Structures are given as C-alpha cells and as structure tokens.
Amino acid sequence: MSVAPEVAVLLDRLRNHSMTTYQHSCNVGNLACALAEGLGLQQEEVNIITVGGLLHDIGKARVRAAILHKAARLTAAEWEVMRRHPEFGVQILSGNEKFEVLEPLVAYHHERWDGQGYYGLGGSDIPLGARIIALADAFDAMTSCRAYQYSKNLLDGIQELASGAGKQFDPRLVQLFFDIMPSILKRNSRRAS
C-alpha cells in the first residue's frame, strides 16, 4: 500500500485538531501492526491494517474539540456526534480511491464480536482488520489517560481484555495479544529509551 504522503497529510490534520487523538492513533497503528504480524499475515495486509489503525479515528477531525476533550459526561446530542466518527472517517477517506481498502476498517472498528457494536456486525462478519483495530483501540484507550477517564494500569487492561474475549473481542485475537504482549512491551521500552 503506497499512500505515505496522503496518510501523512491526514495524520497531520488529526494532530492539529487533537494531539490526544493523534497519539492514540499512532499507538493503535503500532498495536494493530504487531497483531497483524503475529497472525502471520502477508506484508501487504499488515501494511493495510497498520494504516487502518493509524487512520481509524480520522473521522474525529470532524468532531468539535470541545466534544472530544470534554471532561464531563457527553450529552445525548454530543454522544450522537461522537458515535458518528467512523462514518465521518469513511467520508474523509472516500475522497481518495487508494483508501477504498481502508474504509471497512474505519467503518467497523467499533463492532463487537457479540454483534452489539455500532452497526450490529458480529463474529467473522466483521472484517479481520477491523477486529484487530478494535482490540488495539480498546486496549490503548483503557491504558491511556483521557480527559474523561483515568487510565487503567496494565494488569487492569489485560483483565478487561480477558473478560471481553468472546463478547467484545475476537477471542483468538485476545489470546494472540497475550502471546505477543511481552515482545510489544520490549519493543516499546526500547523506543522510549
């Protein structure tokens, strides 16, 4: 997937709109890449899933910063706007035919294994890349500080993933995440030093 300049432009747009969302998207892209590699997917598919992870929240560039960073509970109207960010993301990506392969990943990254997500897809009906991104997205969101929540520690995040296996998350991906987590932590600690 050769779209580096276009991806950089979109990520810059997201960074200028919300540094928190930008940092989260970078984390999700890295985790999604590790999971895709852990599954042994072909490099092209790993690249697509990685870019999908980087751009999964690009639709939040159309959500007012006052809503994105609101420390209090969102109103029903604000929540409805926030809930539309996958749709906004697909609209942003649809302007470039190179991004067509990313649209289902962005559209369905809030689907749940049990079918209780935004659009009601469940199990293997959810594209694999979207399932990978959903897991990476949730784990990073749980373990990162946000305006509206304190972060969970690593153990709490792991326990939440374990309890969500087969409900919110593809259970095979949760097990893979646990299997590769030591190597992810080692890689991230090398980056930080």
Side-chain angles (χ1 to χ4, degrees):
M1 175 169 214
S2 176
V3 293
E6 294 95 332
V7 171
V9 166
L10 290 175
L11 286 173
D12 194 50
R13 175 180 173 186
L14 189 59
R15 183 175 50 80
N16 289 331
H17 184 66
S18 170
M19 180 58 81
T20 304
T21 306
Y22 168 78
Q23 290 168 334
H24 166 68
S25 295
C26 291
N27 293 342
V28 171
N30 285 328
L31 286 172
C33 177
L35 285 163
E37 289 173 344
L39 282 173
L41 300 179
Q42 296 293 320
Q43 190 58 52
E44 179 67 13
E45 196 167 0
V46 171
N47 294 346
I48 290 167
I49 291 168
T50 301
V51 174
L54 289 169
L55 297 179
H56 77 287
D57 273 348
I58 190 61
K60 288 184 177 178
R62 289 193 180 166
V63 176
R64 289 190 340 259
I67 295 174
L68 277 179
H69 302 293
K70 185 175 179 179
R73 187 177 207 94
L74 296 179
T75 66
E78 290 167 337
W79 175 243
E80 187 53 39
V81 170
M82 182 69 88
R83 196 173 186 275
R84 292 185 62 203
H85 78 270
E87 172 190 339
F88 298 151
V90 170
Q91 290 170 3
I92 290 167
L93 296 177
S94 68
N96 185 331
E97 68 181 28
K98 291 181 184 178
F99 290 143
E100 188 175 318
V101 69
L102 301 175
E103 291 177 20
L105 307 185
V106 170
Y108 302 127
H109 75 273
H110 280 293
E111 294 311 287
R112 294 172 47 110
W113 187 254
D114 63 9
Q116 299 299 308
Y118 285 13
Y119 296 105
L121 293 181
S124 60
D125 289 341
I126 305 166
L128 176 61
R131 284 183 269 150
I132 289 171
I133 293 166
L135 179 63
D137 179 31
F139 184 76
D140 187 68
M142 285 183 249
T143 57
S144 301
C145 282
R146 302 284 181 98
Y148 50 85
Q149 76 176 23
Y150 291 109
S151 66
K152 297 179 185 309
N153 66 36
L154 192 58
L155 183 58
D156 289 342
I158 289 167
Q159 289 173 337
E160 195 157 327
L161 287 184
S163 68
K167 297 178 207 131
Q168 184 173 354
F169 310 113
D170 178 338
R172 181 178 70 132
L173 293 178
V174 172
Q175 185 57 56
L176 173 65
F177 186 84
F178 294 156
D179 292 345
I180 67 173
M181 185 174 228
S183 64
I184 293 170
L185 293 173
K186 185 185 260 186
R187 181 175 65 186
N188 289 348
S189 69
R190 281 197 303 265
R191 283 186 187 152
S193 52

